[in-house]
């Protein structure tokens, strides 16, 4: 990547005959996760739905609509060359910032936090994850080796990342902010940041993070509960204990699909952050391994896509999306297994939640698009 | 990607793999190695308790006297609380608790913490407003007994403590019926399993014999009498002698059972059934009735009153130290002569006299449906505290401890052809399993109907001659005053007395009997000048409220009815 990337002046619409040449392993892993996810959502929510909405498939239906919208989004994304997002990344980021602003100042708060529009069913912070990746990939790849200079690299990078994460921290949604920052730093690092600058940024970012978790009261309480729980999980908070009980009940092969007890009350938010615990209870260690394996496959194919991408923009974008989804899955399961303090982080494709599923699918759409572009590019080179 | 970028990418991938490795270790630990241990901690059942509503208490016309309302318990689920500091600052002024205490609950490790055990609906509403802004708050209703008439009938109704137990009066006596029975069952958390069904036994409703209007009138009169005579306390009971139904039962000072916890503990007992005192001269009616029934005397008998009578080494004298000489029975009552009463009891002899008194119910509780009824005290020959002189003292109401209810119950024999009906307050019980209606119970028949009528006639004359203050227009009153000395530690006090009046009307066919007791009136000690006028006020209003026609109209109607037959 010695030269600066410039978008080719070619028709950004793809030719009809080459549309289907994307990475099938990637698609397979996503499809499998979606099937498992829909099953899990129904299994966990039929009781909630019946109790609170008088319709046991209420949540399943809502999730299914998001799934259809997501799939439609993928189809739309596949109509274009993904380089179109270079142009779109700035307006998208501005729209995200506007959304975060509006939410901070004009929306009703739910459970002490302002996170979404229309009763929390649309959350700009989910969009922020993808928008930041799109913008950072575009920005880093257009700067080339100049990102090693302070004025081209660290400073503007820190401003961009800082503004977005600050807005999310203010909601307050510390874990999403941390994820956005983490993915941004990862891209900055891979793109070729200067080691010293990167270390400095890491120290500053880490310092801010530490400051936040010690000053934000709920975060501090969770961290102190965590240090106790790490040594002796039987002293952990209610959430963690119930999650571990779910794991224990699952054993090797689980209590059977739909047969979880922990989802009927003991484990709070079983359908969102706790879905892996319920899954492990129902299909056991072996089932959990299959799911982790599917995420592994997704990550592997994502990285393959990055390696074969036509240019550094494609590579950084593919890595950004791949690491975003991987981090999120890892953090969610780490919470369930009491490895890190309790935090609300949805498990991609499995947790109930429209925004999360939709944005994840859009990300996957872009990933598929890059893989197709790589395959076409390779063939072009062979020809 | 260039080589450097590829290397850096692998650094990240290694980090991810390390994370996956750690997760695998944890999963193996919790699912396989320690799996059974954790699984053993799971609870797939929960106990559900169905709480019944406490029964309602109505007066005889269906006016509500005791019902249920709610207080609220404020609690939090600490793991749902996001802004603990903000929430604690908001709660502090509402709950009037230190912030540190609230913070401790908000940051607790347990899934559920009570922040305020019992608050009013107003405070709960303020907390409900906070729920829109803060997560983790929970508001649960708690049963609270509600007395819409406030302190009306307070001692008789009693109160219910926060644990749901009746603490006094009807609430205490009918605790089991009113409370109902909670049911509990073990439910599976999974809605997929067959669940048990539970139904609590709801509390029974009570319908009282008391009429709210009569009770209110009686309480007003009692309060007025206490003020007028500067008496410390007092009790009035109104009863139907034909059935034993209590129409009103009032004692002052009173308390508001809605706020029983603020009331002085001494006020919580019902003086009408729990306080014991020496009833004084009213007892001469019982002595006379016993003497007449036993044939010791007839209404026309006379005795010689020398102004003093020594019994068992104790000298009985008349209240005015008079020695009226040869005296008839009516004058004995009218002038309330102690020597005369003692002459009757000594003539009867201890065994016969005491038998009559036991028959009248002294020394044992009446068995009314109220909590904490006292039995009174009447030492008998053979008891350690028995002395010969008690025979004289009993006859004019000294050295014997009775409750106001015992007194009116004993006297009701004179107003009901010699039969004592057991006093009662609950007319009907409406329960899930059907209704129960009280049927009047004859407790005893200490004297004949004739002796009862004769004593009543003498009491009519006595009132007419000596206690004009108790008379009312159009009705014949039978009754007797009492001015009982108060003994403290065996010594009679100089200035403090209990002024009483017991009377029933219409004398020839009694429909109502009233007992008035005023403690330590300061303006004038005499029952005839304090309790008697109060009785007259009550009687005047009662004949209207109870629809008792004046004697002449009633008797004319009887004659007309007899003619038509």
């Amino acid at each position: 990547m010695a030269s600066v990337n410039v978008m080719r002046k070619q028709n950004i619409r793809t030719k009809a005959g080459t549309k289907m040449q994307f990475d099938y392993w990637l698609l397979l892993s996503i499809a499998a996760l979606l099937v498992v996810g829909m099953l899990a959502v129904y299994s966990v929510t039929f009781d909630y739905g019946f109790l609170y909405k008088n319709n046991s498939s209420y949540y399943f239906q809502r999730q299914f609509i998001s799934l259809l919208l997501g799939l439609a989004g993928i189809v739309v994304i596949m109509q274009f060359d993904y380089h179109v997002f270079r142009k779109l990344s700035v307006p998208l980021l501005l729209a995200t910032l506007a959304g975060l602003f509006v939410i901070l100042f004009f929306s009703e708060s739910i459970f002490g936090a302002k996170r979404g529009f229309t009763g929390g069913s649309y959350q700009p912070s989910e969009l922020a994850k993808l928008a930041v990746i799109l913008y950072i990939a575009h920005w880093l790849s257009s700067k080339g080796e100049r990102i090693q200079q302070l004025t081209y690299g660290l400073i503007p990078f820190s401003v961009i990342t800082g503004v977005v994460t600050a807005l999310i921290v203010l909601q307050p949604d510390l874990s999403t902010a941390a994820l956005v920052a983490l993915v941004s730093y990862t891209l900055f690092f891979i793109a070729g940041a200067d080691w010293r600058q990167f270390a400095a940024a890491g120290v500053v970012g880490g310092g801010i993070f530490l400051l936040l978790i010690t000053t934000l009261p709920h975060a501090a309480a969770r961290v102190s509960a965590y240090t106790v729980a790490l040594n002796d999980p039987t002293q952990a908070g209610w959430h963690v204990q119930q999650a571990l009980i779910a794991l224990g009940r699952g054993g090797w092969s689980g209590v059977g699909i739909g047969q979880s007890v922990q989802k009927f009350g003991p484990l709070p938010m079983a359908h969102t952050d706790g879905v892996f615990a319920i899954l492990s209870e129902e299909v056991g260690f072996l089932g959990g391994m299959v799911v982790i394996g599917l995420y592994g496959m997704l990550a592997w194919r994502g990285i393959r896509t990055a390696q074969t991408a036509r240019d550094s923009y494609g590579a950084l974008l593919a890595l950004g999306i791949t690491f975003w989804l991987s981090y999120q899955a890892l953090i969610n399961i780490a919470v369930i297994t009491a490895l890190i303090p309790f935090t609300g982080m949805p498990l991609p494709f499995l947790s109930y939640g429209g925004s999360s599923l939709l944005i994840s699918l859009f990300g996957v759409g872009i990933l598929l698009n890059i893989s197709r572009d790589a395959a076409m590019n390779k063939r072009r080179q062979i020809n | 990607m260039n080589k450097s970028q590829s290397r850096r990418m692998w650094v990240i991938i290694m980090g991810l793999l390390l994370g996956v490795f750690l997760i695998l270790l944890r999963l193996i630990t919790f699912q396989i190695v320690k799996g059974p241990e954790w699984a053993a901690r799971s609870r797939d059942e929960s106990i559900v308790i169905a709480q019944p509503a406490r029964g309602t208490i109505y007066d005889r016309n269906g006016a509500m006297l005791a019902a249920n309302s709610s207080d609220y318990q404020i609690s939090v689920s600490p793991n749902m609380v996001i802004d603990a500091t903000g929430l604690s600052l908001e709660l502090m002024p509402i709950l009037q608790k230190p912030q540190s205490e609230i913070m401790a609950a908000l940051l607790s490790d347990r899934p559920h913490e009570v922040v305020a055990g019992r608050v009013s609906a107003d405070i709960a509403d303020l907390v409900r407003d906070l729920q829109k802004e803060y997560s983790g708050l929970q508001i649960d209703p708690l049963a609270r007994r509600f007395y819409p008439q406030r302190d009306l009938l307070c001692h008789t109704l009693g109160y219910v403590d926060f644990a749901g137990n009746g603490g006094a009066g009807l609430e205490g006596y009918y605790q089991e019926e009113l409370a109902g029975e909670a049911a509990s069952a073990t439910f599976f958390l999974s809605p997929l399993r067959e669940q048990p069904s539970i139904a609590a036994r709801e509390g029974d409703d009570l319908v009282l014999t008391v009429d709210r209007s009569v009770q209110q009138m009686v309480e007003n009169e009692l309060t007025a009498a206490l003020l007028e005579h500067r008496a410390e306390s007092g009790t009035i009971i109104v009863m139907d002698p034909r059935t034993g139904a209590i129409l009103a039962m009032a004692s002052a000072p009173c308390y508001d059972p809605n706020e029983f916890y603020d009331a002085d503990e001494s006020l919580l007992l019902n003086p009408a059934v729990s306080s014991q005192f020496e009833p004084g001269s009213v007892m001469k009616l019982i002595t006379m009735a016993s003497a007449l029934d036993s044939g010791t005397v007839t209404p026309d008998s006379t005795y010689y009153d020398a102004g003093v009578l020594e019994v068992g080494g104790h000298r009985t004298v008349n209240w005015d130290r008079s020695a009226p000489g040869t005296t008839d029975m009516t004058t004995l009552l009218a002038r309330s002569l102690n020597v005369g009463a003692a002459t009757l009891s000594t003539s009867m002899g201890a065994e016969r006299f005491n038998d009559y008194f036991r028959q009248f119910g002294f020394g044992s509780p009446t068995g009314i449906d109220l909590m904490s009824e006292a039995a009174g005290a009447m030492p008998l020959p053979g008891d350690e505290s028995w002395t010969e002189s008690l025979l004289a003292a009993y006859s004019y109401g000294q050295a014997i401890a009775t409750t106001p209810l015992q007194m009116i119950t004993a006297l009701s024999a004179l107003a009901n052809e010699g039969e004592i009906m057991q006093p009662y307050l609950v007319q009907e019980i409406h329960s899930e399993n059907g209704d129960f209606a009280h049927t009047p119970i004859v407790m005893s028949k200490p004297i004949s109907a004739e002796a009862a009528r004769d004593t009543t006639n003498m009491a009519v004359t006595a009132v007419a001659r000596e206690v004009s203050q108790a008379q009312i227009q159009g009705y014949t009153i039978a009754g007797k005053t009492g001015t009982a000395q108060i003994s403290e530690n065996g010594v009679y006090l100089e200035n403090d007395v209990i002024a009483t009046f017991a009377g029933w009307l219409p004398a020839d066919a009694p429909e109502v009997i009233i007992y008035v007791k005023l403690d330590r009136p300061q303006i004038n000690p005499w029952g005839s000048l304090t309790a008697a006028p109060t009785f007259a006020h009550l009687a005047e209003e009662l004949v209207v409220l109870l629809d008792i026609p004046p004697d002449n109209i009633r008797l004319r109607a009887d004659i007309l009815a007899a003619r038509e037959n």
Side-chain angles (χ1 to χ4, degrees), chain B residues 73-104:
Chain B
Q73 174 181 282
I74 311 295
S75 50
V76 289
S77 306
N79 52 37
M80 298 282 289
V81 172
I82 289 170
D83 183 3
T85 314
L87 182 54
S88 67
L89 286 172
E90 295 265 25
L91 283 174
M92 182 172 60
I94 296 174
L95 302 178
Q96 300 284 322
K97 282 181 179 238
Q99 195 207 353
S100 57
E101 193 184 319
I102 298 170
M103 271 307 261

Side-chain angles (χ1 to χ4, degrees), chain A residues 238-251:
Chain A
W238 179 263
H239 275 90
V240 176
Q241 295 229 21
Q242 293 306 320
L244 295 183
I245 288 171
L247 295 181
R249 281 177 53 83

Side-chain angles (χ1 to χ4, degrees), chain B residues 450-533:
Chain B
E450 200 190 345
R453 269 199 299 273
D454 287 344
T455 315
T456 299
N457 288 335
M458 289 159 82
V460 168
T461 314
V463 167
R465 266 165 55 184
E466 296 282 340
V467 204
S468 60
Q469 298 88 340
Q471 297 279 36
I472 61 167
Q473 186 99 47
Y475 296 87
T476 333
I477 308 283
K480 179 79 190 75
T481 57
T483 307
Q485 286 173 287
I486 299 172
S487 79
E488 264 176 19
N489 309 321
V491 181
Y492 286 105
L493 301 175
E494 288 273 324
N495 300 318
D496 288 335
V497 296
I498 295 172
T500 57
F501 188 91
W504 56 101
L505 74 156
D508 60 314
E511 289 184 35
V512 63
I513 179 166
I514 305 165
Y515 187 76
V516 179
K517 169 175 176 276
L518 304 176
D519 304 329
R520 303 172 197 251
Q522 298 299 309
I523 306 276
N524 190 303
W526 302 108
S528 56
L529 297 175
T530 51

